[in-house]
């Protein structure tokens, strides 16, 4: 059997590979929407060397691959993904704090919420806008999570990335182009250095509490969703445009436009990826016909 194994299969069954490998792993287990078919291989890597080996092999053998965080903005097709899904494990979840210059070095797999709490405990300013935001540091940096006024890129001192050949490169934050929900980060975010600043603790607490209260009052946090579905177009909000079309509460199969926030689509329990994608297309068509605006998805698609 081993004689007929592909290079990828041989690598993934090698005991020396620092990774947990799950063949035909249902991706519904790894997305906040709880929908999606199986990945050919789901691999949780524990070290940089394991990540480098897998990425280089996939690129060299032309095998589709991707890296996912907590799956908070991910929609996986019902048929799944015929490739390798990589999750950043053990070594990528470390968080190191430098008290002297108010900086934090966090692995790409570290939870954004954990990093925000580190700044909160030390009365450091710079990441209050991210309180309550799900996902990992790697995903938040790659997509420049935040609003039009406050975003991850403003706090990034440097980003260490891995390219398609498995090589590491450290890039100053100033050399990266940061845009609304986008960045020019070239590759997998392995580590990120964030810069904060000492601040009045009452100011930080007040800002965080206000941000959390706003989320709780306006977003369906207790339901299965992928967060904001569409990016806000210039001069408007996607939620307002969708609601003006009378689509709040609209549904397709088990997918429904949230009655709390029109830019959220929730899984009512039996939704499929086809339900989700179909409802998104209906929303885009209606908004285009009514407002003349093409809404751009914020959610990532995998396997479509």
């Amino acid at each position: 059997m081993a004689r007929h194994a592909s290079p990828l299969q041989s690598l993934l069954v090698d005991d020396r590979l620092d990774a947990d490998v799950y063949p035909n792993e249902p991706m519904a287990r790894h997305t906040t929407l709880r929908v999606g078919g199986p990945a050919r291989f789901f691999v949780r890597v524990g070290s940089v060397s394991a990540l480098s080996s897998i990425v280089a092999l996939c690129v060299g053998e032309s095998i589709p691959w991707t890296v996912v965080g907590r799956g908070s903005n991910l929609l996986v097709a019902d048929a799944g993904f015929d490739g390798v899904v990589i999750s950043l494990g053990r070594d990528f979840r470390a968080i190191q704090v430098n008290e002297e210059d108010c900086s934090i070095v966090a692995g790409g797999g570290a939870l954004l919420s954990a990093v925000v709490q580190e700044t909160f405990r030390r009365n450091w300013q710079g990441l209050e806008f991210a309180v309550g935001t799900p996902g990992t540091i790697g995903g938040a940096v790659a997509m420049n999570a935040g609003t039009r006024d406050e975003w991850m890129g403003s706090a990034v001192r440097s980003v260490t990335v891995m390219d398609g050949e498995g090589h590491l490169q450290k890039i100053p934050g100033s050399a990266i182009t940061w845009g609304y929900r986008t960045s020019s980060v070239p590759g997998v975010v392995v580590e990120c250095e964030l810069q904060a600043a000492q601040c009045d603790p009452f100011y930080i607490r007040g800002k965080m509490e206000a941000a959390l209260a706003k989320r709780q009052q306006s977003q369906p946090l207790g339901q299965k969703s992928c967060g904001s579905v569409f990016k806000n177009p210039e001069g408007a909000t996607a939620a307002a445009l969708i609601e003006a079309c009378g689509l709040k509460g609209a549904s397709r199969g088990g997918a429904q436009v949230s009655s709390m926030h029109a830019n959220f689509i929730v899984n009512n329990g039996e939704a499929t990826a086809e339900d989700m994608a179909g409802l998104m297309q209906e929303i885009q068509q209606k908004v285009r016909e009514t407002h003349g605006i093409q809404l751009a998805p914020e959610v990532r698609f995998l396997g479509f």
Side-chain angles (χ1 to χ4, degrees):
M1 180 175 179
R3 290 197 305 269
H4 302 289
S6 69
L8 175 63
Q9 291 170 327
S10 297
L11 174 65
L12 295 181
V13 298
D14 191 331
D15 291 338
R16 294 169 296 180
L17 182 69
D18 186 11
D20 298 318
V21 181
Y22 304 89
N24 299 313
E25 174 71 3
M27 286 302 296
R29 298 175 180 172
H30 304 281
T31 67
T32 55
L33 269 173
R34 293 294 184 261
V35 301
R40 180 180 172 189
F41 291 104
F42 183 90
V43 185
R44 183 175 291 113
V45 294
S47 63
V48 169
S49 62
L51 175 63
S52 176
S53 296
I54 293 173
V55 169
L57 180 60
C58 286
V59 172
E61 297 289 323
S62 299
I63 299 168
W65 66 280
T66 189
V67 175
V68 301
R70 302 284 287 187
S72 56
N73 70 329
L74 182 65
L75 179 61
V76 183
D78 296 316
F81 177 62
D82 188 24
V84 179
V85 175
I86 302 171
S87 173
L88 302 182
R90 190 190 64 241
D91 289 359
F92 301 95
R93 296 174 180 173
I95 299 173
Q96 298 177 332
V97 178
N98 188 327
E99 300 277 1
E100 294 183 3
D101 67 352
C102 300
S103 66
I104 294 178
V105 175
L111 293 180
L112 176 59
S113 58
V115 175
V116 171
Q117 285 303 311
E118 289 290 347
T119 63
F120 175 69
R121 281 196 288 268
R122 291 167 173 78
N123 301 324
W124 290 356
Q125 180 184 17
L127 292 176
E128 306 89 88
F129 68 90
V131 65
T133 302
T136 60
I137 284 292
V141 170
M143 71 169 289
N144 194 25
T147 68
R148 289 196 183 279
D149 301 315
E150 298 178 290
W151 55 87
M152 287 298 299
S154 61
V156 172
R157 180 188 285 181
S158 69
V159 180
T160 301
V161 300
M162 180 174 290
D163 63 21
E165 296 181 348
H167 300 147
L168 295 176
Q169 179 185 9
K170 188 173 184 178
I171 306 172
S174 58
I176 296 171
T177 301
W178 305 99
Y180 172 60
R181 301 293 169 86
T182 184
S183 78
S184 64
V185 174
V188 181
V189 176
V190 172
E191 188 176 85
C192 179
E193 185 179 13
L194 300 167
Q195 182 65 63
Q198 201 72 40
C199 187
D200 179 1
F202 294 102
Y203 170 81
I204 295 175
R205 178 181 290 275
K207 193 171 181 181
M208 284 190 173
E209 288 180 347
L212 279 175
K214 183 178 180 180
R215 285 180 184 274
Q216 293 168 351
Q217 293 169 6
S218 63
Q219 298 178 7
L221 301 182
Q223 295 179 279
K224 301 169 187 174
S225 80
C226 60
S228 297
V229 176
F230 300 103
K231 298 178 183 180
N232 289 325
E234 190 68 37
T237 67
L241 295 174
I242 296 168
E243 187 169 355
C245 292
L247 293 175
K248 211 171 188 180
S251 63
R252 176 175 177 139
Q256 182 178 34
V257 178
S258 170
S259 58
M260 290 186 69
H261 195 302
N263 197 23
F264 279 64
I265 297 179
V266 298
N267 175 3
N268 283 332
E270 300 296 330
T272 64
E274 184 179 356
D275 292 339
M276 292 287 176
L279 186 54
M280 287 179 64
Q281 291 172 355
E282 290 179 18
I283 292 171
Q284 286 176 304
Q285 180 179 349
K286 187 67 174 179
V287 169
R288 186 170 57 249
E289 293 173 349
T290 305
H291 303 288
I293 295 173
Q294 178 66 32
L295 291 179
E298 184 173 318
V299 62
R300 286 176 57 200
F301 295 88
L302 183 64
F304 285 87

